Each structure stands twice: as structure tokens, then as C-alpha cells.
Amino acid sequence: TCNMVNGTGLRAVIWVSGCDHHCKGCFNCSTWHPLGGKPFDFEAYVTLMDGIREPYCDGISLSGGDPLMPYNIDVTTALAKETKELGKTVWCYTGYDYDKVKDLKIMEYVDVLIDGRFILKQFNPNLKWRGSANQRVIDVQETRKQGRIVLHPDSNVVTEFFPEQAFDPCKDMTPKEIKEKYIDNVCNEGQL
């Protein structure tokens, strides 16, 4: 409920399970299986929405897996709609190209869509909000108004990076602690 790397500002992020794109080099392939992860139950819903309601939260980012897979679309559309009703923004990541999803109901609520499959040969770590050069950061509502693709104004490249100043979430942790915290609990490898 407090993420700064999946869209502008501070955002709540939900990573859904299930993705049929299976892009080579995907950074989140643990989310490919539609039955992976933890159930999105009422408690998870309340936690997510409470985070979105916080004054410091700018909105929700839908990621995964792929939030626009047929088995995810009903829930992600409802979350996007509810987020917009709170006056917050909606960012959505998908492996689909915009033309394939532009007519989905969810697009009424999405402010920014990062579209396109991840292509390892076009990987560029300096791209903002995306991993490969083919992916676009689309201002959905302006695109719908103008009838042509309009890129989000903050879709440029990162020109400065200071890895020595980056936060290390594993600092001072033993390998066993890292495995328990990040692999066993987050990836749920045994459930796939």
C-alpha cells in the first residue's frame, strides 16, 4: 500500500496471478500460474482499499501476472472503478497491446496503461516505468479523446542512477532470513 516504482507518486499495488504471455526474461514469472499466490479475500480487499483511501496514496497500480487476462478482468475492473470513485488514479500493466484491450470496460477507469510484452532483446534498465523499448506508457484518457496513442508525459528515460544510494532490503539479513521472507512467503513456490 506504499509503493513508488509502479507509477507516479505513492501507490497501492496489487499483483494478480496468471499470465499467458510468458515473456522470456520476465522479472515476475512466479505470477504466471493463475492459481499461484494468495487468495484475494475480503481481508486483502479491505487492506488494499484502506491503503488507497490514505491521503498520501495517489492511486492503485494493477500488475502481475496480467490484470487484463480474462480470469482477472472482472476483479481488476471493479478495483479500478472503485479507485476512480475515490478520486485516485489507476495505472495498469499488461502484456497486451493497447489496440487489443482498448474496448474493455476497465479502460474507462485506467489513467495510464503500460502495454506490450516484455522483449528481452529490447531490455533497457534506463526506461521509466517499463522494461523494454517496445512497451509504451500510454495516457489512456487522452488517447481515447484524441483517437490516437498519446504517451504519458512522464514516460521518458532515467538519466541518472545512483546504485550506491539504493535501499537494500536484505541488508543485515542472513541467507535463511532472506529465503524465509522473500522466497517462501512471497513467491509461494510450493503452491504452483
Side-chain angles (χ1 to χ4, degrees), residues 17-19 30-39 71-72 188 191-192:
S17 292
C19 182
S30 65
T31 64
W32 286 359
H33 195 285
L35 300 178
K38 298 177 183 177
Y71 41 79
N72 289 326
N188 298 305
Q191 292 185 18
L192 295 180

Side-chain angles (χ1 to χ4, degrees), residues 91-110:
W91 283 53
C92 183
Y93 287 79
T94 184
Y96 292 111
D97 289 335
Y98 175 76
D99 287 339
K100 297 272 189 207
V101 298
K102 68 182 180 183
D103 296 325
L104 294 174
K105 179 77 173 163
I106 193 172
M107 290 303 139
E108 293 178 23
Y109 314 113
V110 172

Side-chain angles (χ1 to χ4, degrees), residues 149-167:
I149 299 290
V150 177
L151 297 180
H152 185 271
D154 193 18
S155 63
N156 56 350
V157 298
V158 177
T159 56
E160 294 183 272
F161 179 63
F162 304 99
E164 67 280 359
Q165 296 175 11
F167 169 71

Side-chain angles (χ1 to χ4, degrees), residues 42-78:
F42 184 71
E43 183 180 343
Y45 166 79
V46 169
T47 300
L48 179 68
M49 294 313 296
D50 284 349
I52 293 169
R53 284 185 187 94
E54 289 290 341
Y56 62 78
C57 184
D58 292 292
I60 191 172
S61 291
L62 305 167
S63 191
D66 195 320
L68 303 185
M69 284 285 148
Y71 41 79
N72 289 326
I73 195 69
D74 290 343
V75 172
T76 55
T77 299

